[in-house]
PDB file of all heavy atoms in Angstrom:
ATOM      1  N   GLY A 687       0.548   5.683   6.714  1.00 98.00           N
ATOM      2  CA  GLY A 687       0.685   4.800   7.863  1.00 98.00           C
ATOM      3  C   GLY A 687       0.494   5.486   9.198  1.00 98.00           C
ATOM      4  O   GLY A 687       0.324   4.819  10.214  1.00 98.00           O
ATOM      5  N   GLY A 688       0.534   6.814   9.242  1.00 97.00           N
ATOM      6  CA  GLY A 688       0.469   7.532  10.504  1.00 97.00           C
ATOM      7  C   GLY A 688      -0.951   7.764  10.992  1.00 97.00           C
ATOM      8  O   GLY A 688      -1.923   7.623  10.250  1.00 97.00           O
ATOM      9  N   GLU A 689      -1.058   8.155  12.267  1.00 97.00           N
ATOM     10  CA  GLU A 689      -2.344   8.529  12.858  1.00 97.00           C
ATOM     11  C   GLU A 689      -2.708   9.927  12.353  1.00 97.00           C
ATOM     12  O   GLU A 689      -2.165  10.936  12.805  1.00 97.00           O
ATOM     13  CB  GLU A 689      -2.241   8.504  14.383  1.00 97.00           C
ATOM     14  CG  GLU A 689      -3.419   9.096  15.130  1.00 97.00           C
ATOM     15  CD  GLU A 689      -4.756   8.533  14.716  1.00 97.00           C
ATOM     16  OE1 GLU A 689      -4.997   7.329  14.931  1.00 97.00           O
ATOM     17  OE2 GLU A 689      -5.564   9.310  14.168  1.00 97.00           O
ATOM     18  N   MET A 690      -3.651   9.983  11.419  1.00 97.00           N
ATOM     19  CA  MET A 690      -3.906  11.228  10.697  1.00 97.00           C
ATOM     20  C   MET A 690      -4.420  12.347  11.586  1.00 97.00           C
ATOM     21  O   MET A 690      -4.136  13.520  11.341  1.00 97.00           O
ATOM     22  CB  MET A 690      -4.887  10.972   9.549  1.00 97.00           C
ATOM     23  CG  MET A 690      -4.316  10.097   8.441  1.00 97.00           C
ATOM     24  SD  MET A 690      -5.377  10.002   6.974  1.00 97.00           S
ATOM     25  CE  MET A 690      -6.747   9.021   7.609  1.00 97.00           C
ATOM     26  N   THR A 691      -5.173  12.005  12.603  1.00 97.00           N
ATOM     27  CA  THR A 691      -5.760  13.051  13.447  1.00 97.00           C
ATOM     28  C   THR A 691      -4.712  13.816  14.243  1.00 97.00           C
ATOM     29  O   THR A 691      -5.025  14.853  14.834  1.00 97.00           O
ATOM     30  CB  THR A 691      -6.794  12.455  14.412  1.00 97.00           C
ATOM     31  OG1 THR A 691      -6.138  11.568  15.333  1.00 97.00           O
ATOM     32  CG2 THR A 691      -7.874  11.692  13.660  1.00 97.00           C
ATOM     33  N   LYS A 692      -3.471  13.336  14.249  1.00 95.00           N
ATOM     34  CA  LYS A 692      -2.396  13.991  14.993  1.00 95.00           C
ATOM     35  C   LYS A 692      -1.313  14.556  14.081  1.00 95.00           C
ATOM     36  O   LYS A 692      -0.223  14.899  14.543  1.00 95.00           O
ATOM     37  CB  LYS A 692      -1.776  13.002  15.983  1.00 95.00           C
ATOM     38  CG  LYS A 692      -2.758  12.490  17.031  1.00 95.00           C
ATOM     39  CD  LYS A 692      -2.106  11.481  17.970  1.00 95.00           C
ATOM     40  CE  LYS A 692      -3.105  10.949  18.985  1.00 95.00           C
ATOM     41  NZ  LYS A 692      -2.497   9.931  19.889  1.00 95.00           N
ATOM     42  N   PHE A 693      -1.612  14.684  12.800  1.00 97.00           N
ATOM     43  CA  PHE A 693      -0.616  15.201  11.866  1.00 97.00           C
ATOM     44  C   PHE A 693      -0.319  16.673  12.142  1.00 97.00           C
ATOM     45  O   PHE A 693      -1.226  17.461  12.443  1.00 97.00           O
ATOM     46  CB  PHE A 693      -1.114  15.056  10.425  1.00 97.00           C
ATOM     47  CG  PHE A 693      -0.911  13.691   9.835  1.00 97.00           C
ATOM     48  CD1 PHE A 693      -0.315  12.668  10.554  1.00 97.00           C
ATOM     49  CD2 PHE A 693      -1.320  13.428   8.536  1.00 97.00           C
ATOM     50  CE1 PHE A 693      -0.135  11.409  10.010  1.00 97.00           C
ATOM     51  CE2 PHE A 693      -1.143  12.175   7.968  1.00 97.00           C
ATOM     52  CZ  PHE A 693      -0.543  11.164   8.708  1.00 97.00           C
ATOM     53  N   ASP A 694       0.965  17.031  12.002  1.00 96.00           N
ATOM     54  CA  ASP A 694       1.361  18.439  12.102  1.00 96.00           C
ATOM     55  C   ASP A 694       1.295  19.088  10.722  1.00 96.00           C
ATOM     56  O   ASP A 694       0.968  18.442   9.718  1.00 96.00           O
ATOM     57  CB  ASP A 694       2.741  18.574  12.740  1.00 96.00           C
ATOM     58  CG  ASP A 694       3.853  17.909  11.942  1.00 96.00           C
ATOM     59  OD1 ASP A 694       3.634  17.544  10.754  1.00 96.00           O
ATOM     60  OD2 ASP A 694       4.957  17.738  12.487  1.00 96.00           O
ATOM     61  N   SER A 695       1.609  20.383  10.665  1.00 98.00           N
ATOM     62  CA  SER A 695       1.465  21.128   9.415  1.00 98.00           C
ATOM     63  C   SER A 695       2.415  20.625   8.336  1.00 98.00           C
ATOM     64  O   SER A 695       2.061  20.595   7.149  1.00 98.00           O
ATOM     65  CB  SER A 695       1.687  22.624   9.663  1.00 98.00           C
ATOM     66  OG  SER A 695       2.979  22.859  10.211  1.00 98.00           O
ATOM     67  N   PHE A 696       3.629  20.208   8.727  1.00 98.00           N
ATOM     68  CA  PHE A 696       4.550  19.707   7.710  1.00 98.00           C
ATOM     69  C   PHE A 696       4.024  18.413   7.098  1.00 98.00           C
ATOM     70  O   PHE A 696       4.039  18.244   5.875  1.00 98.00           O
ATOM     71  CB  PHE A 696       5.950  19.461   8.292  1.00 98.00           C
ATOM     72  CG  PHE A 696       6.864  18.776   7.317  1.00 98.00           C
ATOM     73  CD1 PHE A 696       7.449  19.492   6.279  1.00 98.00           C
ATOM     74  CD2 PHE A 696       7.112  17.404   7.394  1.00 98.00           C
ATOM     75  CE1 PHE A 696       8.259  18.864   5.343  1.00 98.00           C
ATOM     76  CE2 PHE A 696       7.920  16.773   6.466  1.00 98.00           C
ATOM     77  CZ  PHE A 696       8.504  17.509   5.442  1.00 98.00           C
ATOM     78  N   THR A 697       3.563  17.493   7.945  1.00 98.00           N
ATOM     79  CA  THR A 697       3.043  16.233   7.425  1.00 98.00           C
ATOM     80  C   THR A 697       1.865  16.483   6.495  1.00 98.00           C
ATOM     81  O   THR A 697       1.756  15.863   5.433  1.00 98.00           O
ATOM     82  CB  THR A 697       2.632  15.306   8.577  1.00 98.00           C
ATOM     83  OG1 THR A 697       3.734  15.172   9.486  1.00 98.00           O
ATOM     84  CG2 THR A 697       2.251  13.934   8.070  1.00 98.00           C
ATOM     85  N   MET A 698       1.002  17.407   6.869  1.00 98.00           N
ATOM     86  CA  MET A 698      -0.120  17.741   5.998  1.00 98.00           C
ATOM     87  C   MET A 698       0.355  18.309   4.669  1.00 98.00           C
ATOM     88  O   MET A 698      -0.230  18.037   3.607  1.00 98.00           O
ATOM     89  CB  MET A 698      -1.051  18.725   6.696  1.00 98.00           C
ATOM     90  CG  MET A 698      -1.873  18.112   7.820  1.00 98.00           C
ATOM     91  SD  MET A 698      -2.971  16.792   7.249  1.00 98.00           S
ATOM     92  CE  MET A 698      -4.089  17.709   6.194  1.00 98.00           C
ATOM     93  N   SER A 699       1.436  19.100   4.711  1.00 98.00           N
ATOM     94  CA  SER A 699       1.941  19.690   3.462  1.00 98.00           C
ATOM     95  C   SER A 699       2.451  18.623   2.501  1.00 98.00           C
ATOM     96  O   SER A 699       2.446  18.822   1.279  1.00 98.00           O
ATOM     97  CB  SER A 699       3.052  20.699   3.766  1.00 98.00           C
ATOM     98  OG  SER A 699       4.266  20.054   4.146  1.00 98.00           O
ATOM     99  N   LEU A 700       2.896  17.490   3.017  1.00 98.00           N
ATOM    100  CA  LEU A 700       3.383  16.405   2.167  1.00 98.00           C
ATOM    101  C   LEU A 700       2.262  15.802   1.332  1.00 98.00           C
ATOM    102  O   LEU A 700       2.465  15.445   0.158  1.00 98.00           O
ATOM    103  CB  LEU A 700       4.002  15.297   3.019  1.00 98.00           C
ATOM    104  CG  LEU A 700       5.319  15.560   3.728  1.00 98.00           C
ATOM    105  CD1 LEU A 700       5.635  14.402   4.667  1.00 98.00           C
ATOM    106  CD2 LEU A 700       6.452  15.761   2.734  1.00 98.00           C
ATOM    107  N   ILE A 701       1.098  15.659   1.939  1.00 98.00           N
ATOM    108  CA  ILE A 701       0.024  14.881   1.319  1.00 98.00           C
ATOM    109  C   ILE A 701      -1.101  15.746   0.762  1.00 98.00           C
ATOM    110  O   ILE A 701      -2.096  15.222   0.262  1.00 98.00           O
ATOM    111  CB  ILE A 701      -0.541  13.842   2.313  1.00 98.00           C
ATOM    112  CG1 ILE A 701      -0.997  14.506   3.605  1.00 98.00           C
ATOM    113  CG2 ILE A 701       0.514  12.775   2.601  1.00 98.00           C
ATOM    114  CD1 ILE A 701      -1.612  13.528   4.615  1.00 98.00           C
ATOM    115  N   THR A 702      -0.916  17.082   0.847  1.00 98.00           N
ATOM    116  CA  THR A 702      -1.910  17.981   0.262  1.00 98.00           C
ATOM    117  C   THR A 702      -1.270  18.928  -0.750  1.00 98.00           C
ATOM    118  O   THR A 702      -1.854  19.961  -1.074  1.00 98.00           O
ATOM    119  CB  THR A 702      -2.630  18.801   1.347  1.00 98.00           C
ATOM    120  OG1 THR A 702      -1.663  19.580   2.070  1.00 98.00           O
ATOM    121  CG2 THR A 702      -3.394  17.898   2.304  1.00 98.00           C
ATOM    122  N   ASN A 703      -0.078  18.571  -1.227  1.00 98.00           N
ATOM    123  CA  ASN A 703       0.563  19.374  -2.259  1.00 98.00           C
ATOM    124  C   ASN A 703      -0.065  18.994  -3.607  1.00 98.00           C
ATOM    125  O   ASN A 703       0.146  17.894  -4.118  1.00 98.00           O
ATOM    126  CB  ASN A 703       2.070  19.120  -2.274  1.00 98.00           C
ATOM    127  CG  ASN A 703       2.795  19.964  -3.302  1.00 98.00           C
ATOM    128  OD1 ASN A 703       2.482  19.927  -4.484  1.00 98.00           O
ATOM    129  ND2 ASN A 703       3.785  20.731  -2.853  1.00 98.00           N
ATOM    130  N   LYS A 704      -0.866  19.890  -4.153  1.00 98.00           N
ATOM    131  CA  LYS A 704      -1.630  19.564  -5.356  1.00 98.00           C
ATOM    132  C   LYS A 704      -0.732  19.168  -6.524  1.00 98.00           C
ATOM    133  O   LYS A 704      -1.053  18.244  -7.285  1.00 98.00           O
ATOM    134  CB  LYS A 704      -2.521  20.741  -5.752  1.00 98.00           C
ATOM    135  CG  LYS A 704      -3.420  20.445  -6.949  1.00 98.00           C
ATOM    136  CD  LYS A 704      -4.285  21.629  -7.312  1.00 98.00           C
ATOM    137  CE  LYS A 704      -5.227  21.278  -8.468  1.00 98.00           C
ATOM    138  NZ  LYS A 704      -4.513  20.798  -9.676  1.00 98.00           N
ATOM    139  N   ASP A 705       0.398  19.848  -6.677  1.00 98.00           N
ATOM    140  CA  ASP A 705       1.281  19.544  -7.805  1.00 98.00           C
ATOM    141  C   ASP A 705       1.894  18.149  -7.681  1.00 98.00           C
ATOM    142  O   ASP A 705       2.030  17.437  -8.684  1.00 98.00           O
ATOM    143  CB  ASP A 705       2.381  20.595  -7.910  1.00 98.00           C
ATOM    144  CG  ASP A 705       1.854  21.942  -8.383  1.00 98.00           C
ATOM    145  OD1 ASP A 705       0.881  21.960  -9.160  1.00 98.00           O
ATOM    146  OD2 ASP A 705       2.404  22.982  -7.965  1.00 98.00           O
ATOM    147  N   ILE A 706       2.271  17.771  -6.470  1.00 98.00           N
ATOM    148  CA  ILE A 706       2.812  16.417  -6.262  1.00 98.00           C
ATOM    149  C   ILE A 706       1.720  15.374  -6.471  1.00 98.00           C
ATOM    150  O   ILE A 706       1.940  14.327  -7.103  1.00 98.00           O
ATOM    151  CB  ILE A 706       3.438  16.295  -4.859  1.00 98.00           C
ATOM    152  CG1 ILE A 706       4.682  17.183  -4.746  1.00 98.00           C
ATOM    153  CG2 ILE A 706       3.783  14.832  -4.549  1.00 98.00           C
ATOM    154  CD1 ILE A 706       5.834  16.776  -5.652  1.00 98.00           C
ATOM    155  N   MET A 707       0.520  15.642  -5.966  1.00 98.00           N
ATOM    156  CA  MET A 707      -0.591  14.716  -6.173  1.00 98.00           C
ATOM    157  C   MET A 707      -0.944  14.610  -7.657  1.00 98.00           C
ATOM    158  O   MET A 707      -1.301  13.539  -8.141  1.00 98.00           O
ATOM    159  CB  MET A 707      -1.803  15.168  -5.370  1.00 98.00           C
ATOM    160  CG  MET A 707      -1.635  15.073  -3.853  1.00 98.00           C
ATOM    161  SD  MET A 707      -1.381  13.373  -3.240  1.00 98.00           S
ATOM    162  CE  MET A 707       0.403  13.368  -2.967  1.00 98.00           C
ATOM    163  N   ASP A 708      -0.830  15.717  -8.375  1.00 98.00           N
ATOM    164  CA  ASP A 708      -1.060  15.661  -9.828  1.00 98.00           C
ATOM    165  C   ASP A 708       0.008  14.814 -10.521  1.00 98.00           C
ATOM    166  O   ASP A 708      -0.293  14.093 -11.479  1.00 98.00           O
ATOM    167  CB  ASP A 708      -1.070  17.072 -10.412  1.00 98.00           C
ATOM    168  CG  ASP A 708      -2.367  17.812 -10.139  1.00 98.00           C
ATOM    169  OD1 ASP A 708      -3.348  17.179  -9.703  1.00 98.00           O
ATOM    170  OD2 ASP A 708      -2.391  19.044 -10.361  1.00 98.00           O
ATOM    171  N   MET A 709       1.257  14.916 -10.050  1.00 98.00           N
ATOM    172  CA  MET A 709       2.305  14.075 -10.631  1.00 98.00           C
ATOM    173  C   MET A 709       1.981  12.606 -10.396  1.00 98.00           C
ATOM    174  O   MET A 709       2.121  11.766 -11.304  1.00 98.00           O
ATOM    175  CB  MET A 709       3.681  14.421 -10.046  1.00 98.00           C
ATOM    176  CG  MET A 709       4.796  13.543 -10.601  1.00 98.00           C
ATOM    177  SD  MET A 709       6.475  14.089 -10.185  1.00 98.00           S
ATOM    178  CE  MET A 709       6.528  13.742  -8.415  1.00 98.00           C
ATOM    179  N   HIS A 710       1.553  12.275  -9.189  1.00 98.00           N
ATOM    180  CA  HIS A 710       1.175  10.889  -8.901  1.00 98.00           C
ATOM    181  C   HIS A 710       0.043  10.435  -9.817  1.00 98.00           C
ATOM    182  O   HIS A 710       0.044   9.302 -10.324  1.00 98.00           O
ATOM    183  CB  HIS A 710       0.760  10.756  -7.441  1.00 98.00           C
ATOM    184  CG  HIS A 710       0.360   9.370  -7.055  1.00 98.00           C
ATOM    185  ND1 HIS A 710      -0.952   8.950  -7.030  1.00 98.00           N
ATOM    186  CD2 HIS A 710       1.098   8.291  -6.693  1.00 98.00           C
ATOM    187  CE1 HIS A 710      -1.008   7.689  -6.664  1.00 98.00           C
ATOM    188  NE2 HIS A 710       0.222   7.257  -6.452  1.00 98.00           N
ATOM    189  N   LYS A 711      -0.915  11.303 -10.049  1.00 97.00           N
ATOM    190  CA  LYS A 711      -2.067  10.966 -10.886  1.00 97.00           C
ATOM    191  C   LYS A 711      -1.706  10.855 -12.356  1.00 97.00           C
ATOM    192  O   LYS A 711      -2.194   9.963 -13.068  1.00 97.00           O
ATOM    193  CB  LYS A 711      -3.156  12.028 -10.693  1.00 97.00           C
ATOM    194  CG  LYS A 711      -4.392  11.827 -11.543  1.00 97.00           C
ATOM    195  CD  LYS A 711      -5.389  12.938 -11.288  1.00 97.00           C
ATOM    196  CE  LYS A 711      -6.637  12.765 -12.145  1.00 97.00           C
ATOM    197  NZ  LYS A 711      -7.626  13.848 -11.900  1.00 97.00           N
ATOM    198  N   ASN A 712      -0.852  11.742 -12.830  1.00 97.00           N
ATOM    199  CA  ASN A 712      -0.620  11.869 -14.270  1.00 97.00           C
ATOM    200  C   ASN A 712       0.683  11.264 -14.773  1.00 97.00           C
ATOM    201  O   ASN A 712       0.936  11.259 -15.974  1.00 97.00           O
ATOM    202  CB  ASN A 712      -0.656  13.350 -14.660  1.00 97.00           C
ATOM    203  CG  ASN A 712      -2.021  13.965 -14.460  1.00 97.00           C
ATOM    204  OD1 ASN A 712      -3.034  13.321 -14.712  1.00 97.00           O
ATOM    205  ND2 ASN A 712      -2.068  15.199 -13.972  1.00 97.00           N
ATOM    206  N   SER A 713       1.525  10.772 -13.878  1.00 97.00           N
ATOM    207  CA  SER A 713       2.793  10.189 -14.295  1.00 97.00           C
ATOM    208  C   SER A 713       2.552   8.948 -15.154  1.00 97.00           C
ATOM    209  O   SER A 713       1.746   8.082 -14.803  1.00 97.00           O
ATOM    210  CB  SER A 713       3.618   9.824 -13.057  1.00 97.00           C
ATOM    211  OG  SER A 713       4.850   9.238 -13.424  1.00 97.00           O
ATOM    212  N   ARG A 714       3.257   8.860 -16.268  1.00 97.00           N
ATOM    213  CA  ARG A 714       3.161   7.697 -17.155  1.00 97.00           C
ATOM    214  C   ARG A 714       4.577   7.282 -17.575  1.00 97.00           C
ATOM    215  O   ARG A 714       5.454   8.121 -17.777  1.00 97.00           O
ATOM    216  CB  ARG A 714       2.360   8.037 -18.420  1.00 97.00           C
ATOM    217  CG  ARG A 714       0.925   8.481 -18.160  1.00 97.00           C
ATOM    218  CD  ARG A 714       0.037   7.343 -17.665  1.00 97.00           C
ATOM    219  NE  ARG A 714      -1.351   7.752 -17.557  1.00 97.00           N
ATOM    220  CZ  ARG A 714      -1.906   8.299 -16.467  1.00 97.00           C
ATOM    221  NH1 ARG A 714      -1.163   8.516 -15.390  1.00 97.00           N
ATOM    222  NH2 ARG A 714      -3.183   8.622 -16.465  1.00 97.00           N
ATOM    223  N   ASN A 715       4.774   5.986 -17.717  1.00 97.00           N
ATOM    224  CA  ASN A 715       6.050   5.432 -18.178  1.00 97.00           C
ATOM    225  C   ASN A 715       7.240   5.953 -17.372  1.00 97.00           C
ATOM    226  O   ASN A 715       8.241   6.423 -17.928  1.00 97.00           O
ATOM    227  CB  ASN A 715       6.259   5.736 -19.666  1.00 97.00           C
ATOM    228  CG  ASN A 715       5.103   5.262 -20.518  1.00 97.00           C
ATOM    229  OD1 ASN A 715       4.693   4.110 -20.418  1.00 97.00           O
ATOM    230  ND2 ASN A 715       4.560   6.146 -21.344  1.00 97.00           N
ATOM    231  N   PRO A 716       7.177   5.863 -16.046  1.00 97.00           N
ATOM    232  CA  PRO A 716       8.286   6.366 -15.226  1.00 97.00           C
ATOM    233  C   PRO A 716       9.523   5.483 -15.361  1.00 97.00           C
ATOM    234  O   PRO A 716       9.418   4.266 -15.539  1.00 97.00           O
ATOM    235  CB  PRO A 716       7.721   6.301 -13.814  1.00 97.00           C
ATOM    236  CG  PRO A 716       6.734   5.174 -13.854  1.00 97.00           C
ATOM    237  CD  PRO A 716       6.122   5.244 -15.222  1.00 97.00           C
ATOM    238  N   HIS A 717      10.682   6.120 -15.272  1.00 98.00           N
ATOM    239  CA  HIS A 717      11.920   5.333 -15.287  1.00 98.00           C
ATOM    240  C   HIS A 717      13.092   6.174 -14.787  1.00 98.00           C
ATOM    241  O   HIS A 717      13.062   7.405 -14.821  1.00 98.00           O
ATOM    242  CB  HIS A 717      12.221   4.793 -16.682  1.00 98.00           C
ATOM    243  CG  HIS A 717      12.422   5.853 -17.723  1.00 98.00           C
ATOM    244  ND1 HIS A 717      11.376   6.473 -18.377  1.00 98.00           N
ATOM    245  CD2 HIS A 717      13.552   6.422 -18.231  1.00 98.00           C
ATOM    246  CE1 HIS A 717      11.841   7.345 -19.235  1.00 98.00           C
ATOM    247  NE2 HIS A 717      13.169   7.349 -19.170  1.00 98.00           N
ATOM    248  N   GLN A 718      14.095   5.474 -14.324  1.00 98.00           N
ATOM    249  CA  GLN A 718      15.339   6.126 -13.918  1.00 98.00           C
ATOM    250  C   GLN A 718      16.142   6.483 -15.163  1.00 98.00           C
ATOM    251  O   GLN A 718      16.305   5.663 -16.063  1.00 98.00           O
ATOM    252  CB  GLN A 718      16.137   5.190 -13.018  1.00 98.00           C
ATOM    253  CG  GLN A 718      17.449   5.757 -12.533  1.00 98.00           C
ATOM    254  CD  GLN A 718      18.177   4.789 -11.636  1.00 98.00           C
ATOM    255  OE1 GLN A 718      17.715   4.446 -10.560  1.00 98.00           O
ATOM    256  NE2 GLN A 718      19.333   4.310 -12.084  1.00 98.00           N
TER     257      GLN A 718
END
Side-chain angles (χ1 to χ4, degrees):
E689 170 52 65
M690 293 189 290
T691 65
K692 298 178 182 178
F693 278 0
D694 62 13
S695 59
F696 172 77
T697 307
M698 287 299 295
S699 74
L700 290 172
I701 55 178
T702 60
N703 182 304
K704 184 180 183 303
D705 289 329
I706 293 295
M707 293 297 102
D708 283 348
M709 179 169 70
H710 180 264
K711 178 181 179 180
N712 295 322
S713 179
R714 300 290 186 271
N715 305 309
H717 61 277
Q718 180 179 296

